[in-house]
PDB file of all heavy atoms in Angstrom:
ATOM      1  N   ALA A  10     -44.601  21.317  44.496  1.00 96.00           N
ATOM      2  CA  ALA A  10     -44.801  22.694  44.942  1.00 96.00           C
ATOM      3  C   ALA A  10     -43.468  23.335  45.315  1.00 96.00           C
ATOM      4  O   ALA A  10     -42.636  22.710  45.979  1.00 96.00           O
ATOM      5  CB  ALA A  10     -45.742  22.743  46.147  1.00 96.00           C
ATOM      6  N   ASP A  11     -43.283  24.571  44.884  1.00 95.00           N
ATOM      7  CA  ASP A  11     -42.052  25.322  45.168  1.00 95.00           C
ATOM      8  C   ASP A  11     -40.812  24.439  45.046  1.00 95.00           C
ATOM      9  O   ASP A  11     -40.107  24.181  46.030  1.00 95.00           O
ATOM     10  CB  ASP A  11     -42.112  25.961  46.561  1.00 95.00           C
ATOM     11  CG  ASP A  11     -42.867  27.272  46.564  1.00 95.00           C
ATOM     12  OD1 ASP A  11     -43.043  27.858  45.485  1.00 95.00           O
ATOM     13  OD2 ASP A  11     -43.283  27.726  47.655  1.00 95.00           O
ATOM     14  N   PRO A  12     -40.516  23.965  43.830  1.00 94.00           N
ATOM     15  CA  PRO A  12     -39.333  23.122  43.628  1.00 94.00           C
ATOM     16  C   PRO A  12     -38.057  23.848  44.047  1.00 94.00           C
ATOM     17  O   PRO A  12     -38.030  25.074  44.180  1.00 94.00           O
ATOM     18  CB  PRO A  12     -39.343  22.864  42.113  1.00 94.00           C
ATOM     19  CG  PRO A  12     -40.741  23.141  41.673  1.00 94.00           C
ATOM     20  CD  PRO A  12     -41.240  24.213  42.574  1.00 94.00           C
ATOM     21  N   VAL A  13     -36.992  23.084  44.214  1.00 93.00           N
ATOM     22  CA  VAL A  13     -35.723  23.653  44.662  1.00 93.00           C
ATOM     23  C   VAL A  13     -35.121  24.606  43.634  1.00 93.00           C
ATOM     24  O   VAL A  13     -34.147  25.306  43.925  1.00 93.00           O
ATOM     25  CB  VAL A  13     -34.707  22.547  45.000  1.00 93.00           C
ATOM     26  CG1 VAL A  13     -35.176  21.749  46.208  1.00 93.00           C
ATOM     27  CG2 VAL A  13     -34.481  21.622  43.799  1.00 93.00           C
ATOM     28  N   VAL A  14     -35.695  24.646  42.418  1.00 95.00           N
ATOM     29  CA  VAL A  14     -35.161  25.507  41.363  1.00 95.00           C
ATOM     30  C   VAL A  14     -36.009  26.763  41.145  1.00 95.00           C
ATOM     31  O   VAL A  14     -35.898  27.410  40.099  1.00 95.00           O
ATOM     32  CB  VAL A  14     -35.028  24.743  40.030  1.00 95.00           C
ATOM     33  CG1 VAL A  14     -33.944  23.681  40.137  1.00 95.00           C
ATOM     34  CG2 VAL A  14     -36.360  24.106  39.633  1.00 95.00           C
ATOM     35  N   VAL A  15     -36.854  27.116  42.116  1.00 96.00           N
ATOM     36  CA  VAL A  15     -37.578  28.387  42.023  1.00 96.00           C
ATOM     37  C   VAL A  15     -36.560  29.500  41.789  1.00 96.00           C
ATOM     38  O   VAL A  15     -35.572  29.632  42.514  1.00 96.00           O
ATOM     39  CB  VAL A  15     -38.379  28.659  43.311  1.00 96.00           C
ATOM     40  CG1 VAL A  15     -38.837  30.115  43.363  1.00 96.00           C
ATOM     41  CG2 VAL A  15     -39.583  27.731  43.390  1.00 96.00           C
ATOM     42  N   ASP A  16     -36.787  30.301  40.755  1.00 97.00           N
ATOM     43  CA  ASP A  16     -35.792  31.291  40.330  1.00 97.00           C
ATOM     44  C   ASP A  16     -36.365  32.703  40.384  1.00 97.00           C
ATOM     45  O   ASP A  16     -37.211  33.080  39.577  1.00 97.00           O
ATOM     46  CB  ASP A  16     -35.318  30.975  38.911  1.00 97.00           C
ATOM     47  CG  ASP A  16     -34.123  31.823  38.488  1.00 97.00           C
ATOM     48  OD1 ASP A  16     -33.811  32.809  39.195  1.00 97.00           O
ATOM     49  OD2 ASP A  16     -33.508  31.506  37.463  1.00 97.00           O
ATOM     50  N   GLU A  17     -35.893  33.472  41.364  1.00 97.00           N
ATOM     51  CA  GLU A  17     -36.261  34.877  41.504  1.00 97.00           C
ATOM     52  C   GLU A  17     -35.023  35.762  41.628  1.00 97.00           C
ATOM     53  O   GLU A  17     -35.085  36.887  42.096  1.00 97.00           O
ATOM     54  CB  GLU A  17     -37.155  35.050  42.750  1.00 97.00           C
ATOM     55  CG  GLU A  17     -38.437  34.244  42.690  1.00 97.00           C
ATOM     56  CD  GLU A  17     -39.205  34.195  43.997  1.00 97.00           C
ATOM     57  OE1 GLU A  17     -38.572  34.343  45.071  1.00 97.00           O
ATOM     58  OE2 GLU A  17     -40.433  34.023  43.967  1.00 97.00           O
ATOM     59  N   LEU A  18     -33.869  35.219  41.197  1.00 97.00           N
ATOM     60  CA  LEU A  18     -32.601  35.925  41.362  1.00 97.00           C
ATOM     61  C   LEU A  18     -32.586  37.248  40.592  1.00 97.00           C
ATOM     62  O   LEU A  18     -33.102  37.338  39.473  1.00 97.00           O
ATOM     63  CB  LEU A  18     -31.434  35.075  40.871  1.00 97.00           C
ATOM     64  CG  LEU A  18     -31.122  33.766  41.592  1.00 97.00           C
ATOM     65  CD1 LEU A  18     -29.861  33.156  41.021  1.00 97.00           C
ATOM     66  CD2 LEU A  18     -30.979  33.981  43.097  1.00 97.00           C
ATOM     67  N   GLU A  19     -31.965  38.250  41.189  1.00 97.00           N
ATOM     68  CA  GLU A  19     -31.684  39.475  40.452  1.00 97.00           C
ATOM     69  C   GLU A  19     -30.579  39.171  39.438  1.00 97.00           C
ATOM     70  O   GLU A  19     -29.722  38.315  39.656  1.00 97.00           O
ATOM     71  CB  GLU A  19     -31.245  40.578  41.414  1.00 97.00           C
ATOM     72  CG  GLU A  19     -32.366  41.068  42.313  1.00 97.00           C
ATOM     73  CD  GLU A  19     -31.939  42.234  43.193  1.00 97.00           C
ATOM     74  OE1 GLU A  19     -30.717  42.425  43.385  1.00 97.00           O
ATOM     75  OE2 GLU A  19     -32.829  42.952  43.680  1.00 97.00           O
ATOM     76  N   ASP A  20     -30.598  39.874  38.325  1.00 96.00           N
ATOM     77  CA  ASP A  20     -29.639  39.598  37.253  1.00 96.00           C
ATOM     78  C   ASP A  20     -28.199  39.721  37.722  1.00 96.00           C
ATOM     79  O   ASP A  20     -27.331  38.939  37.310  1.00 96.00           O
ATOM     80  CB  ASP A  20     -29.886  40.541  36.073  1.00 96.00           C
ATOM     81  CG  ASP A  20     -31.169  40.205  35.321  1.00 96.00           C
ATOM     82  OD1 ASP A  20     -31.654  39.061  35.465  1.00 96.00           O
ATOM     83  OD2 ASP A  20     -31.685  41.082  34.599  1.00 96.00           O
ATOM     84  N   ILE A  21     -27.931  40.681  38.592  1.00 97.00           N
ATOM     85  CA  ILE A  21     -26.547  40.894  39.041  1.00 97.00           C
ATOM     86  C   ILE A  21     -26.029  39.696  39.824  1.00 97.00           C
ATOM     87  O   ILE A  21     -24.821  39.424  39.851  1.00 97.00           O
ATOM     88  CB  ILE A  21     -26.445  42.191  39.890  1.00 97.00           C
ATOM     89  CG1 ILE A  21     -24.987  42.612  40.033  1.00 97.00           C
ATOM     90  CG2 ILE A  21     -27.110  42.020  41.259  1.00 97.00           C
ATOM     91  CD1 ILE A  21     -24.810  43.991  40.644  1.00 97.00           C
ATOM     92  N   ALA A  22     -26.939  38.940  40.442  1.00 97.00           N
ATOM     93  CA  ALA A  22     -26.539  37.779  41.231  1.00 97.00           C
ATOM     94  C   ALA A  22     -26.137  36.605  40.358  1.00 97.00           C
ATOM     95  O   ALA A  22     -25.519  35.649  40.841  1.00 97.00           O
ATOM     96  CB  ALA A  22     -27.672  37.370  42.165  1.00 97.00           C
ATOM     97  N   ARG A  23     -26.478  36.641  39.087  1.00 96.00           N
ATOM     98  CA  ARG A  23     -26.194  35.518  38.191  1.00 96.00           C
ATOM     99  C   ARG A  23     -24.779  35.565  37.610  1.00 96.00           C
ATOM    100  O   ARG A  23     -24.260  34.576  37.121  1.00 96.00           O
ATOM    101  CB  ARG A  23     -27.193  35.500  37.029  1.00 96.00           C
ATOM    102  CG  ARG A  23     -28.641  35.444  37.457  1.00 96.00           C
ATOM    103  CD  ARG A  23     -29.570  35.439  36.226  1.00 96.00           C
ATOM    104  NE  ARG A  23     -30.941  35.668  36.620  1.00 96.00           N
ATOM    105  CZ  ARG A  23     -31.760  34.717  37.073  1.00 96.00           C
ATOM    106  NH1 ARG A  23     -31.320  33.481  37.175  1.00 96.00           N
ATOM    107  NH2 ARG A  23     -33.009  34.996  37.420  1.00 96.00           N
ATOM    108  N   ILE A  24     -24.159  36.737  37.621  1.00 97.00           N
ATOM    109  CA  ILE A  24     -22.881  36.929  36.943  1.00 97.00           C
ATOM    110  C   ILE A  24     -21.739  36.340  37.765  1.00 97.00           C
ATOM    111  O   ILE A  24     -21.631  36.575  38.970  1.00 97.00           O
ATOM    112  CB  ILE A  24     -22.631  38.424  36.669  1.00 97.00           C
ATOM    113  CG1 ILE A  24     -23.735  38.984  35.767  1.00 97.00           C
ATOM    114  CG2 ILE A  24     -21.255  38.634  36.024  1.00 97.00           C
ATOM    115  CD1 ILE A  24     -23.685  40.490  35.600  1.00 97.00           C
ATOM    116  N   THR A  25     -20.883  35.569  37.104  1.00 95.00           N
ATOM    117  CA  THR A  25     -19.715  34.973  37.756  1.00 95.00           C
ATOM    118  C   THR A  25     -18.447  35.552  37.139  1.00 95.00           C
ATOM    119  O   THR A  25     -18.494  36.391  36.232  1.00 95.00           O
ATOM    120  CB  THR A  25     -19.716  33.444  37.586  1.00 95.00           C
ATOM    121  OG1 THR A  25     -19.376  33.123  36.217  1.00 95.00           O
ATOM    122  CG2 THR A  25     -21.071  32.850  37.926  1.00 95.00           C
ATOM    123  N   GLY A  26     -17.302  35.041  37.574  1.00 95.00           N
ATOM    124  CA  GLY A  26     -16.020  35.512  37.059  1.00 95.00           C
ATOM    125  C   GLY A  26     -15.624  34.930  35.716  1.00 95.00           C
ATOM    126  O   GLY A  26     -14.543  35.248  35.193  1.00 95.00           O
ATOM    127  N   ARG A  27     -16.476  34.081  35.146  1.00 95.00           N
ATOM    128  CA  ARG A  27     -16.255  33.546  33.816  1.00 95.00           C
ATOM    129  C   ARG A  27     -17.565  33.630  33.048  1.00 95.00           C
ATOM    130  O   ARG A  27     -18.606  33.170  33.529  1.00 95.00           O
ATOM    131  CB  ARG A  27     -15.814  32.067  33.869  1.00 95.00           C
ATOM    132  CG  ARG A  27     -14.406  31.822  34.400  1.00 95.00           C
ATOM    133  CD  ARG A  27     -13.323  32.271  33.454  1.00 95.00           C
ATOM    134  NE  ARG A  27     -13.493  31.777  32.091  1.00 95.00           N
ATOM    135  CZ  ARG A  27     -12.596  31.938  31.130  1.00 95.00           C
ATOM    136  NH1 ARG A  27     -11.457  32.576  31.396  1.00 95.00           N
ATOM    137  NH2 ARG A  27     -12.828  31.483  29.906  1.00 95.00           N
ATOM    138  N   PRO A  28     -17.546  34.163  31.833  1.00 96.00           N
ATOM    139  CA  PRO A  28     -18.786  34.296  31.073  1.00 96.00           C
ATOM    140  C   PRO A  28     -19.418  32.958  30.697  1.00 96.00           C
ATOM    141  O   PRO A  28     -20.595  32.893  30.379  1.00 96.00           O
ATOM    142  CB  PRO A  28     -18.357  35.070  29.815  1.00 96.00           C
ATOM    143  CG  PRO A  28     -16.882  34.868  29.719  1.00 96.00           C
ATOM    144  CD  PRO A  28     -16.387  34.748  31.125  1.00 96.00           C
ATOM    145  N   GLU A  29     -18.628  31.879  30.750  1.00 96.00           N
ATOM    146  CA  GLU A  29     -19.174  30.555  30.428  1.00 96.00           C
ATOM    147  C   GLU A  29     -20.103  30.029  31.528  1.00 96.00           C
ATOM    148  O   GLU A  29     -20.868  29.090  31.305  1.00 96.00           O
ATOM    149  CB  GLU A  29     -18.038  29.530  30.223  1.00 96.00           C
ATOM    150  CG  GLU A  29     -17.095  29.872  29.085  1.00 96.00           C
ATOM    151  CD  GLU A  29     -15.883  30.680  29.548  1.00 96.00           C
ATOM    152  OE1 GLU A  29     -15.972  31.324  30.628  1.00 96.00           O
ATOM    153  OE2 GLU A  29     -14.866  30.650  28.840  1.00 96.00           O
ATOM    154  N   PHE A  30     -20.008  30.619  32.703  1.00 94.00           N
ATOM    155  CA  PHE A  30     -20.777  30.121  33.843  1.00 94.00           C
ATOM    156  C   PHE A  30     -21.725  31.192  34.359  1.00 94.00           C
ATOM    157  O   PHE A  30     -21.331  32.356  34.505  1.00 94.00           O
ATOM    158  CB  PHE A  30     -19.845  29.703  34.986  1.00 94.00           C
ATOM    159  CG  PHE A  30     -18.891  28.606  34.635  1.00 94.00           C
ATOM    160  CD1 PHE A  30     -17.623  28.902  34.171  1.00 94.00           C
ATOM    161  CD2 PHE A  30     -19.263  27.280  34.761  1.00 94.00           C
ATOM    162  CE1 PHE A  30     -16.721  27.898  33.843  1.00 94.00           C
ATOM    163  CE2 PHE A  30     -18.372  26.261  34.429  1.00 94.00           C
ATOM    164  CZ  PHE A  30     -17.106  26.568  33.973  1.00 94.00           C
ATOM    165  N   LYS A  31     -22.947  30.780  34.648  1.00 94.00           N
ATOM    166  CA  LYS A  31     -23.905  31.657  35.313  1.00 94.00           C
ATOM    167  C   LYS A  31     -24.431  30.959  36.554  1.00 94.00           C
ATOM    168  O   LYS A  31     -24.654  29.742  36.554  1.00 94.00           O
ATOM    169  CB  LYS A  31     -25.072  32.015  34.378  1.00 94.00           C
ATOM    170  CG  LYS A  31     -24.711  33.044  33.327  1.00 94.00           C
ATOM    171  CD  LYS A  31     -25.953  33.579  32.626  1.00 94.00           C
ATOM    172  CE  LYS A  31     -25.576  34.696  31.655  1.00 94.00           C
ATOM    173  NZ  LYS A  31     -26.779  35.261  30.974  1.00 94.00           N
ATOM    174  N   LYS A  32     -24.616  31.732  37.603  1.00 94.00           N
ATOM    175  CA  LYS A  32     -25.135  31.171  38.846  1.00 94.00           C
ATOM    176  C   LYS A  32     -26.568  30.706  38.649  1.00 94.00           C
ATOM    177  O   LYS A  32     -27.376  31.385  38.025  1.00 94.00           O
ATOM    178  CB  LYS A  32     -25.073  32.225  39.949  1.00 94.00           C
ATOM    179  CG  LYS A  32     -25.480  31.724  41.323  1.00 94.00           C
ATOM    180  CD  LYS A  32     -25.273  32.833  42.341  1.00 94.00           C
ATOM    181  CE  LYS A  32     -25.631  32.378  43.730  1.00 94.00           C
ATOM    182  NZ  LYS A  32     -25.393  33.442  44.726  1.00 94.00           N
ATOM    183  N   ARG A  33     -26.876  29.521  39.195  1.00 93.00           N
ATOM    184  CA  ARG A  33     -28.230  28.994  39.139  1.00 93.00           C
ATOM    185  C   ARG A  33     -28.912  29.147  40.494  1.00 93.00           C
ATOM    186  O   ARG A  33     -28.256  29.172  41.537  1.00 93.00           O
ATOM    187  CB  ARG A  33     -28.212  27.505  38.770  1.00 93.00           C
ATOM    188  CG  ARG A  33     -27.804  27.214  37.347  1.00 93.00           C
ATOM    189  CD  ARG A  33     -28.211  25.793  36.970  1.00 93.00           C
ATOM    190  NE  ARG A  33     -27.493  24.777  37.732  1.00 93.00           N
ATOM    191  CZ  ARG A  33     -27.862  23.495  37.788  1.00 93.00           C
ATOM    192  NH1 ARG A  33     -28.954  23.088  37.161  1.00 93.00           N
ATOM    193  NH2 ARG A  33     -27.151  22.619  38.478  1.00 93.00           N
ATOM    194  N   SER A  34     -30.217  29.252  40.459  1.00 95.00           N
ATOM    195  CA  SER A  34     -30.997  29.319  41.692  1.00 95.00           C
ATOM    196  C   SER A  34     -31.384  27.906  42.091  1.00 95.00           C
ATOM    197  O   SER A  34     -32.254  27.286  41.484  1.00 95.00           O
ATOM    198  CB  SER A  34     -32.252  30.170  41.482  1.00 95.00           C
ATOM    199  OG  SER A  34     -33.020  30.210  42.668  1.00 95.00           O
ATOM    200  N   ILE A  35     -30.719  27.365  43.104  1.00 93.00           N
ATOM    201  CA  ILE A  35     -31.044  26.048  43.662  1.00 93.00           C
ATOM    202  C   ILE A  35     -30.972  26.174  45.181  1.00 93.00           C
ATOM    203  O   ILE A  35     -29.886  26.324  45.746  1.00 93.00           O
ATOM    204  CB  ILE A  35     -30.068  24.954  43.179  1.00 93.00           C
ATOM    205  CG1 ILE A  35     -30.029  24.872  41.650  1.00 93.00           C
ATOM    206  CG2 ILE A  35     -30.465  23.607  43.761  1.00 93.00           C
ATOM    207  CD1 ILE A  35     -29.070  23.826  41.116  1.00 93.00           C
ATOM    208  N   PHE A  36     -32.122  26.143  45.824  1.00 94.00           N
ATOM    209  CA  PHE A  36     -32.161  26.296  47.285  1.00 94.00           C
ATOM    210  C   PHE A  36     -33.428  25.629  47.817  1.00 94.00           C
ATOM    211  O   PHE A  36     -34.269  25.144  47.059  1.00 94.00           O
ATOM    212  CB  PHE A  36     -32.096  27.778  47.674  1.00 94.00           C
ATOM    213  CG  PHE A  36     -33.348  28.558  47.354  1.00 94.00           C
ATOM    214  CD1 PHE A  36     -34.212  28.967  48.355  1.00 94.00           C
ATOM    215  CD2 PHE A  36     -33.669  28.891  46.033  1.00 94.00           C
ATOM    216  CE1 PHE A  36     -35.366  29.684  48.062  1.00 94.00           C
ATOM    217  CE2 PHE A  36     -34.810  29.613  45.728  1.00 94.00           C
ATOM    218  CZ  PHE A  36     -35.662  30.008  46.753  1.00 94.00           C
ATOM    219  N   HIS A  37     -33.579  25.598  49.129  1.00 94.00           N
ATOM    220  CA  HIS A  37     -34.735  24.948  49.754  1.00 94.00           C
ATOM    221  C   HIS A  37     -35.926  25.907  49.708  1.00 94.00           C
ATOM    222  O   HIS A  37     -36.342  26.478  50.718  1.00 94.00           O
ATOM    223  CB  HIS A  37     -34.395  24.561  51.187  1.00 94.00           C
ATOM    224  CG  HIS A  37     -33.287  23.571  51.305  1.00 94.00           C
ATOM    225  ND1 HIS A  37     -31.965  23.964  51.389  1.00 94.00           N
ATOM    226  CD2 HIS A  37     -33.292  22.212  51.329  1.00 94.00           C
ATOM    227  CE1 HIS A  37     -31.198  22.894  51.476  1.00 94.00           C
ATOM    228  NE2 HIS A  37     -31.975  21.817  51.442  1.00 94.00           N
ATOM    229  N   ALA A  38     -36.476  26.054  48.500  1.00 95.00           N
ATOM    230  CA  ALA A  38     -37.514  27.067  48.287  1.00 95.00           C
ATOM    231  C   ALA A  38     -38.745  26.818  49.146  1.00 95.00           C
ATOM    232  O   ALA A  38     -39.287  27.748  49.760  1.00 95.00           O
ATOM    233  CB  ALA A  38     -37.902  27.099  46.807  1.00 95.00           C
ATOM    234  N   LEU A  39     -39.217  25.588  49.199  1.00 94.00           N
ATOM    235  CA  LEU A  39     -40.454  25.298  49.927  1.00 94.00           C
ATOM    236  C   LEU A  39     -40.308  25.629  51.410  1.00 94.00           C
ATOM    237  O   LEU A  39     -41.139  26.340  51.985  1.00 94.00           O
ATOM    238  CB  LEU A  39     -40.830  23.822  49.745  1.00 94.00           C
ATOM    239  CG  LEU A  39     -42.098  23.367  50.459  1.00 94.00           C
ATOM    240  CD1 LEU A  39     -43.328  24.045  49.866  1.00 94.00           C
ATOM    241  CD2 LEU A  39     -42.237  21.852  50.397  1.00 94.00           C
ATOM    242  N   ASP A  40     -39.262  25.126  52.024  1.00 94.00           N
ATOM    243  CA  ASP A  40     -39.068  25.363  53.457  1.00 94.00           C
ATOM    244  C   ASP A  40     -38.816  26.836  53.749  1.00 94.00           C
ATOM    245  O   ASP A  40     -39.355  27.399  54.705  1.00 94.00           O
ATOM    246  CB  ASP A  40     -37.917  24.515  53.985  1.00 94.00           C
ATOM    247  CG  ASP A  40     -37.755  24.637  55.487  1.00 94.00           C
ATOM    248  OD1 ASP A  40     -38.509  23.967  56.211  1.00 94.00           O
ATOM    249  OD2 ASP A  40     -36.887  25.413  55.936  1.00 94.00           O
TER     250      ASP A  40
END
């Protein structure tokens, strides 16, 4: 239930300073 990879990020939050990398949603979703 509610794994740590629950992904509800806004698109703007995914962009990093290198196009090869995108931010991933990994957090304590359940808690």
Side-chain angles (χ1 to χ4, degrees):
D11 277 342
V13 294
V14 292
V15 166
D16 189 348
E17 300 169 334
L18 296 185
E19 291 184 340
D20 289 340
I21 195 170
R23 304 180 192 277
I24 299 172
T25 73
R27 289 289 310 187
E29 299 92 338
F30 299 93
K31 284 192 175 181
K32 185 176 181 178
R33 290 197 294 166
S34 179
I35 304 179
F36 71 107
H37 297 89
L39 180 66
D40 185 80

